[in-house]
Amino acid sequence: MLGPLAMTHAGVSVPLTGGRRRRLLAALLVNANAVVPADRLIDILWGADAPDTAPRNLHNQVWRLRAALEDSGGAALVTEPPGYLLRVEPSAIDAVRFEAALSDAAAERLARPERAVERLTTALQLWRGPAYAEFADEEFCRYEAIRLAELRLVAVEERFAAGMDLGRYAELVGELDAFAVEHPLRERATELLMTALHRSGRQADATEVYLRFRRHLVEHLGVEPSPALRRHHEHLLRADPVPPAASWPAGATREQVGNLRSELSELVGRAADVEAARRTLARARVVTLTGTGGVGKTRLATGVAAALRADFPHGVWVCELAAVRDGWLVPDVLATTLGVRESRGADVTDGLVDFLRSRRALLVVDNCEHVLDAAAGLVTALARGCPELTVLVTSREPLGIEGEHVLPVRPLAVPPPAAGQDPALVARIPSVELFTDRARAALPTFALGEHNVAAVVEICRGLDGLPLAIELAATRLRSMSLDEIGDRLERRLEFLHSPRRTREARHSTLGAVVAWSYDLLSPREQAVFDALSVLVGSFTLDDAVAVAADEELGPAEVVDVVTDLVHKSMLVADTDRAPTRYTVLETLRIFGRERLTRTGRLEALLGRHTALCLAVAEGSASGLVGPDEAAWAERVTGLLDDLRGAHTRALAAEPEIAVRLSAALLRFTSTHGPSELYGWADRAVGAASGSPGPRLAAALAVAAAGAARSGDLVAATDLARRGLDAVPVRDDPARRFPLWVLARVASFEDRLADAAHLYAVVAELAGRAGDDQCAAYVTASGALQHAYLGATAHAVSVARRAKKLAMATRNPTAIAWADCVLGVALRDSDPERALAILERANEVGRACGNAYIPGAALSASAAVTTRHDDPYRAARLVLETIGYWSRQNHRVQRWGVLRTAVILLTRFGDDVAAATLHGAVTASGAAVRPTGVDAELLEAAVAGIAERLGTERFAAATAHGAALPEEDVVALARVAVDRAPAGRLHVVRPLRQPLPRSLPG
């Protein structure tokens, strides 16, 4: 990438011919390890002149490029709907190696400048010419090429700066001068050249460089140099080449002015934070790093200070306030730090201002939260009286002064749930990187690998990415295993303590860190914080009020306190979305829970928590059936962690509450919820021993629906009938939910007439209950049964009636489902219109967050395109649909699309794969069997496969498929469909193909 596009393997060039293949590789490299949609690749390769055969041509180019990549051994090109993904180790890409070297060099420049020079020199040698040379002006990689070119110039400047850190001012002047002339608008190059000339004793030349740069800016751009460069110029005019040691405290030398200590451990995972702080300090003179205790504010501040040391000729000074208990002592502590002698009768703060007034220095004021007012007053006086001074503050809350820029310091990023178990990928996540580094320091033989990556991931996630907690956990490896450490994290506040004799008492245990912050809170802040610790996941202000407001603290006061807790870094606020969501880090939550237990308030607050969960769940039952469905779905999804906690707690103590929650979540579970909610209902009805009624019937219906979607129709029927028994009056509207499930089971079992009748009964009961959304939905489901029976005209008529009912409710799910069924009904009479309607159903379903309808529309679209349309498009849809139902953990639906794949593969001539899949689908107990015309069509297609393969090969293939585990069947289908477009279409093109009978409604 850093030059003309090239591939090598073991040092040998791998030929890559063909302009379009090179362009395809470049497009994939720009988005390495991310999916690039096929439509986007077609646009890149052919633009507006794309032929009708572009999808097939793209498959051909992908196939050829895949072969070349296999020869190189460094990357894999895989199909990942809706396009392709180039899976490549980042270290195999020269641009990534270059960026990593630049980041590493920046991190160690001040501590080991000679090493930084070596790293940057090696990194710059990777460049063979302009990035993406032949494609640099193309839209698809222009911005990436520009970005890399800018990083190249930054690397050159960083190498100059590191060389100057080694005192090589005079020898670098010539190279710097040439670089500045070549890049006359780069202010950093001019600043470095001015500094090198000044430190070489050439003050007049340094001034001339500045004037030359200023003239160029004014003449060409009409602007002046930045304030920072102007201050640098003014400083050079009046400063000696090296600041005189006589003006500084005893012990300071020409080589290092200030008291910034060298750190004994590496700053890990904070490169982006260091860079953000550097950028902010370039435009602001007071910057405060805020964050919860143990997040690493002090370590980050010293890392930033070390990176900026060269920019402050009068030194970097660190004033530590952790041990100061009285605010009036703060100025005295700073005076002692700087070696400023107090004059008789003079104010200490005035003396500090006089001392620092003309000096360009960086002052780090560390740990201000407990003497906030005094620190704020001192920093305000210094900032106003000392124009060359820059102040970097660390505190658990901002100073709240004029001109202050606040940079929140977040915990290190933790592995996401989908991070996988690849040690090479996980190792680059900052929290894991820190744990690994500190683990090696504690246990030199430690190495992250497949055998322990899962345990490390759980520890880092369990500790919220909190650096201090991770470091303390890593030191435990000297005496126990990773699993033993993980098992003890519930007692982390006492379990995690430091073995260092030099660590401050407030950082000696994780509990001490949290207690330090907690003790600084006011009594009402402590009360609200304790109450909020019962919330398991993120929460809104309404949630906070629900659990924390009481007779002593009203809702408005709770809102004010929440704001205060955010300022004091006891809560994390996510303001990027509305409503704002707040989070209590797990470590702080455990502390709050322990406080509640000790004060006897835990049970009462858990009761409020359960009441909140019930209120939201029961509110969603009506909210999800109206026009505000998307907002209610987001509301319940945001509270899902807390709903899980409340449900689990109720199972053990009050099973009837668990039943009530599952019943209230029926709508959310069926349309938006993750599959685990069906398990909640199953456990709730298993534990319940109370009286029957509508809630038990609804919870049993949810459990029955879960059994049906997993393919266990016997259990689904039993649970649904138990639901009917819970409300024995035949015209009770509460029976509509168990009957709804029985209708789905009838559809799955090919009893289509029975299913249609049951859906009609459900619609009638829904009408009595005033549940118009349910009536619209099941009317559409009844239309689907008529479509399966071949009564197309009647199915279309009923589907349109369902759409009219749905539009009256303005409910997106009802509208999308009616469209989905209408598309299915039109699949043969008007396939083009059917596909358009199915696409609309997909879009509406996705927009409202429905988890079922987008997949149902995809399944139907895949079948229609396989049956009537371009098979290459069908292949893409089949792969996308398999992936969708796999993510939803919906086995029945996935088996349905696997049956579609059987027919598709026959069109591509892959009879062996088609026969194998047919054997698997036939043997599966979860796959719905086709009936009527669909069964006849499938039977004809399979007969054709058997005839072409011969009896023995067909029997062997189907037997092999029948013996495969389900996940292996899915993998086989994906591979076969993915490779099919590279082959030729079979001469036999089926005119009709059975629609998957997996959309029961």
Side-chain angles (χ1 to χ4, degrees), residues 518-724:
Y518 184 85
D519 291 343
L520 295 175
L521 302 178
S522 68
R524 74 173 193 164
E525 289 169 344
Q526 290 179 347
V528 173
F529 172 78
D530 292 346
L532 296 180
S533 69
V534 300
L535 292 163
V536 181
S538 65
F539 55 89
T540 64
L541 282 174
D542 289 340
D543 299 334
V545 169
V547 298
D550 54 22
E551 298 81 4
E552 298 180 4
L553 209 59
E557 291 175 292
V558 170
V559 171
D560 290 341
V561 172
V562 167
T563 302
D564 293 339
L565 291 173
V566 172
H567 286 315
K568 296 183 177 182
S569 303
M570 297 298 283
L571 296 179
V572 178
D574 179 4
T575 58
D576 291 337
R577 52 180 175 165
T580 299
R581 300 197 68 84
Y582 304 86
T583 304
V584 183
L585 294 181
E586 180 67 9
T587 297
L588 301 183
R589 190 183 68 80
I590 290 174
F591 183 91
R593 285 280 187 110
E594 290 187 358
R595 287 275 309 173
L596 289 175
T597 300
R598 288 197 296 271
T599 58
R601 299 175 60 212
L602 180 60
E603 286 304 316
L605 281 159
L606 288 177
R608 292 187 203 169
H609 177 261
T610 298
L612 164 67
C613 292
L614 283 168
V616 172
E618 292 175 342
S620 74
S622 57
L624 286 169
V625 300
D628 298 327
E629 176 184 2
W632 272 101
E634 184 178 359
R635 177 75 173 105
V636 179
T637 300
L639 200 65
L640 197 58
D641 289 335
D642 286 277
L643 288 165
R644 183 186 299 110
H647 195 279
T648 301
R649 193 167 60 244
L651 278 176
E654 296 179 273
E656 298 309 317
I657 295 294
V659 168
R660 185 177 167 188
L661 276 170
S662 287
L665 291 170
L666 180 146
R667 305 279 191 177
F668 180 77
T669 303
S670 62
T671 56
H672 298 82
S675 59
E676 66 173 293
L677 271 69
Y678 293 102
W680 296 9
D682 191 60
R683 289 190 291 275
V685 299
S689 57
S691 58
R695 286 174 178 160
L696 180 59
L700 282 162
V702 175
R709 66 181 269 144
S710 69
D712 191 348
L713 302 185
V714 173
T717 300
D718 177 65
L719 288 164
R721 293 196 182 285
R722 286 175 56 193
L724 293 176

Side-chain angles (χ1 to χ4, degrees), residues 443-465:
L443 190 68
T445 58
F446 178 84
L448 186 69
E450 293 181 358
H451 65 290
N452 61 11
V453 64
V456 172
V457 164
E458 285 306 308
I459 289 173
C460 292
R461 291 181 63 191
L463 294 175
D464 301 307

Side-chain angles (χ1 to χ4, degrees), residues 277-321:
R278 290 181 64 167
R279 287 197 303 268
T280 306
L281 286 165
R283 65 177 188 272
R285 292 179 46 237
V286 179
V287 175
T288 301
L289 303 178
T290 63
T292 192
V295 82
K297 300 182 295 295
T298 298
R299 186 66 181 86
L300 176 59
T302 57
V304 171
L308 293 174
R309 195 199 309 254
D311 297 340
F312 295 96
H314 295 102
V316 175
W317 298 87
V318 180
C319 178
E320 298 178 346
L321 300 180

Side-chain angles (χ1 to χ4, degrees), residues 131-463:
Y132 293 97
E134 62 203 284
F135 306 111
D137 294 329
E138 300 280 355
E139 178 272 335
F140 72 90
C141 71
R142 182 184 306 137
Y143 297 110
E144 178 64 6
I146 291 171
R147 187 184 72 85
L148 290 170
E150 171 64 19
L151 287 178
R152 184 183 191 181
L153 296 178
V154 170
V156 173
E157 291 167 346
E158 285 298 308
R159 184 172 62 173
F160 284 136
M164 290 166 60
D165 290 340
L166 295 170
R168 300 172 184 166
Y169 302 108
E171 67 181 87
L172 289 174
V173 165
E175 290 182 65
L176 264 170
D177 193 21
F179 182 78
V181 170
E182 183 181 359
H183 303 283
L185 297 178
R186 293 193 69 81
E187 188 170 283
R188 174 69 166 153
T190 299
E191 180 187 2
L192 290 169
L193 178 56
M194 290 168 60
T195 302
L197 288 167
H198 184 264
R199 297 291 173 88
S200 301
R202 299 168 59 181
Q203 293 91 323
D205 290 338
T207 298
E208 176 56 33
V209 166
Y210 173 78
L211 295 175
R212 180 182 72 190
F213 179 73
R214 180 180 178 276
R215 281 195 302 272
H216 192 85
L217 286 183
V218 172
E219 291 173 4
H220 290 82
L221 301 178
V223 298
E224 291 284 343
S226 71
L229 188 64
R230 294 202 300 271
R231 289 198 303 269
H232 187 56
H233 171 238
E234 292 166 2
H235 166 73
L236 296 184
L237 288 176
R238 63 176 181 267
D240 290 333
V242 178
S247 66
W248 291 96
T253 66
R254 288 174 180 263
E255 289 72 24
Q256 179 174 325
V257 180
N259 69 339
L260 180 66
R261 65 181 182 271
S262 296
E263 296 290 349
L264 300 179
S265 59
E266 184 181 358
L267 179 60
V268 176
R270 291 294 192 190
D273 296 301
V274 170
E275 185 56 33
R278 290 181 64 167
R279 287 197 303 268
T280 306
L281 286 165
R283 65 177 188 272
R285 292 179 46 237
V286 179
V287 175
T288 301
L289 303 178
T290 63
T292 192
V295 82
K297 300 182 295 295
T298 298
R299 186 66 181 86
L300 176 59
T302 57
V304 171
L308 293 174
R309 195 199 309 254
D311 297 340
F312 295 96
H314 295 102
V316 175
W317 298 87
V318 180
C319 178
E320 298 178 346
L321 300 180
V324 179
R325 289 292 173 265
D326 297 309
W328 62 270
L329 288 173
V330 170
D332 297 271
V333 173
L334 178 57
T336 301
T337 300
L338 296 173
V340 176
R341 293 182 176 84
E342 183 179 350
S343 300
R344 181 173 298 176
D347 181 77
V348 177
T349 299
D350 291 342
L352 289 168
V353 171
D354 289 339
F355 181 77
L356 294 168
R357 190 184 308 278
S358 62
R359 291 179 165 86
R360 188 178 180 198
L362 174 62
L363 176 63
V364 179
V365 186
D366 191 29
N367 292 302
C368 296
E369 58 272 357
H370 59 301
V371 286
L372 201 64
D373 292 341
L378 177 61
V379 172
T380 298
L382 294 175
R384 287 177 174 168
C386 308
E388 296 294 320
L389 182 68
T390 299
V391 184
L392 179 60
V393 177
T394 75
S395 176
R396 299 186 189 184
E397 62 178 301
L399 297 181
I401 64 175
E402 182 181 358
E404 177 187 31
H405 283 58
V406 179
L407 285 181
V409 181
R410 306 296 189 195
L412 295 174
V414 300
Q421 304 296 320
D422 184 346
L425 294 176
V426 173
R428 291 193 292 272
I429 297 172
S431 58
V432 177
E433 187 182 1
L434 177 64
F435 184 91
T436 303
D437 182 82
R438 300 305 191 253
R440 286 174 183 155
L443 190 68
T445 58
F446 178 84
L448 186 69
E450 293 181 358
H451 65 290
N452 61 11
V453 64
V456 172
V457 164
E458 285 306 308
I459 289 173
C460 292
R461 291 181 63 191
L463 294 175

Side-chain angles (χ1 to χ4, degrees), residues 780-800:
S781 298
L784 188 63
Q785 313 313 306
H786 295 300
Y788 289 151
L789 287 167
T792 302
H794 185 57
V796 170
S797 174
V798 176
R800 285 175 174 157

